[in-house]
Amino acid sequence: GQQLNQSPQSMFIQEGEDVSMNCTSSSIFNTWLWYKQDPGEGPVLLIALYKAGELTSNGRLTAQFGITRKDSFLNISASIPSDVGIYFCAGHAFTSGTYKYIFGTGTRLKVLA
Amino acid sequence: DSGVTQTPKHLITATGQRVTLRCSPRSGDLSVYWYQQSLDQGLQFLIQYYNGEERAKGNILERFSAQQFPDLHSELNLSSLELGDSALYFCASSSTQNTEAFFGQGTRLTVV
């Protein structure tokens, strides 16, 4: 199925380091969302972005909606062990007469204490 | 707690069988989405309903079907189950068709 490309696929970082991940698409989206999924749990919404160029923060998390509307990035500052998990981006668009959510391939984050 | 409730949490069944997964959306949400997540994979969109009507279809197999009832809860029916259908099945809901979606805890289906 159609998916967004996320990079990196996985990363190991030291506690306290900043993390950056991004999501790209060949299609334009109207909304970008970032979710975090813990093992065996459902994805939890972290940040929602609604306008091109929008920069939004949620605690140590900052995300931006790309100007071209085809990409988004998520930054995590001063990472802590509980940041471990899979981070998914999701693009939302109205195409072919219907709204669709398309999810990225995920970035697996592991934090070394 | 996202407010989206999925039952059952776990399900083990044999190949060839049929199962029904249930989802209760957040109070007031009209839109329900179903996703499949195989082991260590991303989320594959299956189907979306809005206020009782099917609105979008993804890579949903013909053996699978879903519906949304007047009280807005939704059911995903999986029939003639195969080993490859083993996965986590998530339901998500949103207030309208173009607002952020919130996910349930998922149903882990194991086909043996």
Side-chain angles (χ1 to χ4, degrees):
Chain A
Q2 182 182 0
Q3 284 192 318
L4 301 171
N5 294 315
Q6 268 185 260
S7 65
Q9 280 191 322
S10 63
M11 54 196 314
F12 284 83
I13 59 167
Q14 292 286 338
E15 183 177 357
E17 286 184 350
D18 296 345
V19 175
S20 185
M21 59 190 80
N22 66 66
C23 196
T24 59
S25 168
S26 56
S27 305
I28 288 173
F29 288 102
N30 300 323
T31 301
W32 283 93
L33 306 168
W34 284 92
Y35 290 87
K36 179 184 179 230
Q37 185 179 26
D38 292 328
E41 301 290 325
V44 174
L45 182 65
L46 299 174
I47 290 180
L49 302 158
Y50 300 102
K51 288 195 310 192
E54 180 180 352
L55 186 71
T56 296
S57 293
N58 178 8
R60 294 179 296 106
L61 278 59
T62 301
Q64 184 159 30
F65 191 145
I67 290 290
T68 65
R69 293 167 62 194
K70 293 183 178 181
D71 61 346
S72 177
F73 73 74
L74 175 71
N75 286 340
I76 305 172
S77 62
S79 57
I80 59 178
S82 62
D83 290 334
V84 165
I86 305 176
Y87 291 80
F88 288 102
C89 63
H92 193 238
F94 186 75
T95 59
S96 303
T98 187
Y99 287 98
K100 288 183 181 174
Y101 275 107
I102 306 297
F103 275 79
T105 47
T107 293
R108 285 158 178 73
L109 179 65
K110 299 190 179 180
V111 180
L112 305 173
Chain B
D1 183 5
S2 66
V4 179
T5 303
Q6 287 187 249
T7 57
K9 201 166 169 60
H10 301 277
L11 197 50
I12 301 175
T13 190
T15 54
Q17 295 298 304
R18 172 191 167 96
V19 297
T20 297
L21 313 184
R22 183 188 167 101
C23 171
S24 293
R26 293 187 317 159
S27 177
D29 282 359
L30 299 177
S31 197
V32 169
Y33 310 80
W34 285 97
Y35 289 86
Q36 180 192 55
Q37 186 178 38
S38 301
L39 188 64
D40 290 335
Q41 298 295 312
L43 292 153
Q44 294 293 329
F45 171 66
L46 295 178
I47 198 163
Q48 180 206 353
Y49 282 84
Y50 180 77
N51 204 20
E53 291 186 5
E54 181 185 306
R55 284 303 173 96
K57 240 178 181 175
N59 296 322
I60 186 166
L61 299 172
E62 285 192 12
R63 299 183 286 109
F64 296 179
S65 65
Q67 54 184 327
Q68 186 179 27
F69 294 86
D71 66 353
L72 301 177
H73 91 271
S74 179
E75 292 181 356
L76 179 68
N77 301 298
L78 315 176
S79 61
S80 303
L81 284 167
E82 302 174 0
L83 295 177
D85 297 327
S86 296
L88 270 167
Y89 290 84
F90 288 105
C91 166
S93 75
S94 63
S95 56
T96 64
Q97 293 188 87
N98 60 347
T99 50
E100 58 268 27
F102 294 86
F103 281 77
Q105 295 284 306
T107 293
R108 181 175 293 280
L109 173 66
T110 303
V111 183
V112 297

